[in-house]
């Protein structure tokens, strides 16, 4: 399993400590909120040492990326950790390769900033949510094909994807979470409204 560490304007050490304390977790999802004073963001991917060394909580550097022209708002590992998938403020989804033999890939389809992103190991699909009010399931092919869900919940704030790729939790600016089946793009259930709004969400490992 790999961990993502963000360096934001020199706050590397603080974030490194935060990741180290969470090193026993099987997965970490980090979403970046848009802040105007950010100058650049550096992505650093880590893989933990063997279990006998986990007590030390010392991650090992695998790869680092720097994005300068666009703001990166969210990121997650993708494609058996061959890529770091990033959602940009211009609506483009960029796949940054961790293997030097692979090339940078871009998925274009959203008409506003990509606010959240998720993937699972059992499916090639990458799921993204955007301020354009849509959620896209990208096929992961070279053509950048995707299927769109329009949950009619305003700007998409966050998404949660089950490990089996059979449940997708979507929350928007209306504060009403809905659960969908991403395989058929069909809603399953609508959950209780959160009057104060929802900033983050996720699904349990069993969906």
């Amino acid at each position: 399993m790999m961990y993502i560490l963000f360096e934001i304007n020199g706050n590397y050490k603080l974030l490194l400590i935060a990741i180290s304390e969470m090193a026993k977790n099987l997965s970490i999802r980090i979403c970046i909120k848009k802040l105007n004073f950010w100058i650049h963001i550096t992505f650093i991917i880590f893989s933990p040492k063997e279990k006998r060394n986990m007590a030390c909580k010392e991650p090992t550097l695998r790869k680092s990326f720097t994005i300068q022209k666009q703001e990166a708002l969210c990121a997650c590992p993708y494609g058996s950790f061959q890529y770091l998938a990033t959602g940009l403020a211009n609506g483009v989804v960029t796949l940054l390769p961790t293997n030097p033999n692979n090339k940078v890939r871009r998925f274009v389809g959203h008409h506003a900033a990509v606010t959240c992103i998720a993937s699972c190991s059992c499916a090639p699909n990458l799921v993204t949510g955007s301020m354009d009010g849509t959620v896209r399931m990208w096929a992961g092919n070279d053509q950048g094909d995707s299927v769109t869900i329009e949950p009619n919940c305003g700007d998409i704030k966050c998404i949660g994807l089950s490990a089996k790729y059979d449940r997708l939790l979507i929350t928007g600016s209306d504060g009403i979470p809905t659960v969908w089946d991403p395989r058929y793009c069909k809603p399953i259930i609508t959950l209780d409204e959160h009057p104060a709004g929802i900033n983050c969400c996720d699904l349990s490992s069993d969906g």
Side-chain angles (χ1 to χ4, degrees):
M1 184 59 65
M2 307 165 76
Y3 301 106
I4 303 174
L5 174 67
F6 293 92
E7 178 185 1
I8 305 173
N9 290 349
N11 292 331
Y12 175 88
K13 293 184 178 179
L14 293 176
L15 290 171
L16 177 57
I17 293 173
I19 292 297
S20 296
E21 291 176 351
M22 300 174 66
K24 290 186 177 180
N25 292 349
L26 291 180
S27 64
I28 294 177
R29 182 194 303 271
I30 301 177
C31 295
I32 307 175
K33 292 183 178 180
K34 183 177 181 180
L35 297 176
N36 293 330
F37 61 84
W38 287 0
I39 299 175
H40 72 279
I41 300 173
T42 300
F43 294 91
I44 303 179
I45 297 181
F46 290 89
S47 62
K49 296 181 179 180
E50 296 181 6
K51 289 184 178 180
R52 63 175 180 271
N53 296 326
M54 286 298 291
C56 299
K57 299 180 181 179
E58 296 180 358
T60 303
L61 177 64
R62 288 286 301 276
K63 183 78 174 181
S64 65
F65 304 97
T66 299
I67 298 178
Q68 296 178 334
K69 293 184 179 180
Q70 292 291 335
E71 285 186 296
L73 305 182
C74 51
C76 75
Y78 174 69
S80 300
F81 304 111
Q82 296 180 13
Y83 294 92
L84 178 66
T86 61
L88 304 184
N90 63 355
V92 175
V93 178
T94 301
L95 304 184
L96 304 171
T98 60
N99 186 328
N101 295 324
N102 296 332
K103 296 181 179 180
V104 175
R105 300 167 62 189
R106 292 179 176 84
F107 296 157
V108 179
H110 284 298
H111 301 293
V114 178
T115 55
C116 46
I117 192 168
S119 67
C120 66
S121 58
C122 68
N125 304 71
L126 182 69
V127 183
T128 57
S130 170
M131 292 183 68
D132 63 10
T134 66
V135 174
R136 284 182 177 263
M137 281 77 67
W138 304 90
N141 56 15
D142 293 336
Q143 293 73 30
D145 295 332
S146 65
V147 177
T148 303
I149 289 178
E150 296 184 9
N152 297 317
C153 59
D155 298 344
I156 306 301
K157 295 294 185 179
C158 51
I159 56 177
L161 185 64
S162 67
K164 297 180 181 179
Y165 196 73
D166 59 354
R167 294 293 183 271
L168 173 62
L169 176 61
I170 302 174
T171 60
S173 56
D174 66 354
I176 304 176
T178 55
V179 179
W180 294 66
D181 188 330
R183 300 167 300 179
Y184 308 105
C185 298
K186 293 183 177 180
I188 298 175
I189 188 173
T190 299
L191 305 179
D192 294 337
E193 180 181 359
H194 290 248
I198 300 175
N199 295 318
C200 58
C201 69
D202 209 341
L203 288 172
S204 62
S205 58
D206 58 1

